[in-house]
Amino acid sequence: MDVLTMISDERRRMADLVDTLDAEQLATRSLCDAWTVKEVIGHLVAAIAAPNSALLKLLVRSGFNIHKANARLAGQMAGRPAGELAGLLREHADNPLQPPIVGYPGQLTDLQVHGQDIRRPLGLPHRLEPERLRVTLDFLVGGRAVGFVPRRRPLGLRFEATDLGWSAGSGPLVSGGAEAVMLALTGRRVAVADLSGDGVAELRHRIERQ
């Protein structure tokens, strides 16, 4: 399965997940900064379904701060009914959008990480696919994960995903399940507790500092 096909399938799986969530779950605080579950979903929909003109207007209003503009766009999109958001994910599941620098691995990673931003607080099983996790982990430590991982965060550490037989880097060890490694690399503090090794304290320090 190529990465674009993985992305399409993850969008459809996300749509299926959205269809199962009630109002209380949608209003739950996610792992992603100050966003609710529904706002995370709004972000994922906006990435493929929002008109470019809408982002441009918000970019201007946000002083050309792309992070603020994205947050505002996610909030606007989250104002739509959940069923509509699920429908947009399915309608645009095969969108071949390829962002600069991060490319398709970045798109896949965005879906997998934000999927866990939703599922973990809700206590839902993740069902992440090993092949897709490998793509994401390689991307996160490969130096092209702009906006996902500060360049210095993984430097001088060795990461091992014990359930995949995957490893990268050299230095003090950070070891655990692939899902926890992925989330810790992207700055989700809650996942650090699921990791072990003599490099975990340093990784925690870097996450808190960055």
Side-chain angles (χ1 to χ4, degrees):
M1 184 181 293
D2 63 27
V3 178
L4 187 54
T5 303
M6 295 177 187
I7 292 167
S8 298
D9 187 58
E10 287 294 332
R11 287 172 180 155
R12 293 186 176 95
R13 289 178 65 185
M14 179 59 66
D16 291 343
L17 172 63
V18 174
D19 280 337
T20 70
L21 302 180
D22 60 28
E24 182 179 356
Q25 289 173 313
L26 290 166
T28 298
R29 191 65 55 192
S30 76
L31 296 186
C32 187
D33 298 326
W35 284 358
T36 64
V37 164
K38 196 177 184 188
E39 286 168 336
V40 172
I41 297 163
H43 162 72
L44 293 173
V45 173
I48 51 175
N52 289 335
S53 58
L55 179 58
L56 181 59
K57 289 179 182 178
L58 289 174
L59 195 57
V60 172
R61 286 177 52 197
S62 303
F64 293 93
N65 184 312
I66 188 65
H67 298 294
K68 288 183 180 179
N70 277 330
R72 286 178 171 174
L73 187 57
Q76 286 186 4
M77 192 66 72
R80 302 187 183 196
E84 182 178 340
L85 296 177
L88 286 168
L89 283 167
R90 292 191 181 95
E91 179 183 346
H92 295 273
D94 297 321
N95 187 323
L97 172 69
Q98 186 171 14
I101 304 176
V102 300
Y104 290 143
Q107 284 273 22
L108 179 63
T109 298
D110 205 42
L111 286 157
Q112 293 194 99
V113 171
H114 283 317
Q116 292 313 99
D117 287 337
I118 292 169
R119 293 183 182 95
R120 273 205 173 213
L122 297 178
L124 300 175
H126 58 73
R127 298 192 305 112
L128 294 172
E129 298 291 336
E131 183 183 6
R132 300 174 196 184
L133 281 168
R134 284 183 181 277
V135 173
T136 282
L137 291 175
D138 285 339
F139 166 71
L140 291 175
V141 299
R144 295 179 58 194
V146 177
F148 290 87
V149 182
R151 188 175 293 272
R152 295 180 58 128
R153 183 174 292 160
L155 293 181
L157 296 174
R158 176 173 176 80
F159 293 89
E160 293 184 358
T162 54
D163 51 348
L164 287 187
W166 174 94
S167 64
S170 61
L173 178 64
V174 176
S175 176
E179 184 254 6
V181 173
M182 174 186 74
L183 292 180
L185 278 168
T186 53
R188 275 60 176 177
R189 295 176 180 85
V190 67
V192 177
D194 297 333
L195 302 172
S196 61
D198 54 356
V200 172
E202 174 61 22
L203 177 62
R204 181 183 292 110
H205 174 68
R206 293 180 186 183
I207 291 172
E208 292 173 350
R209 186 178 59 191
Q210 297 171 334

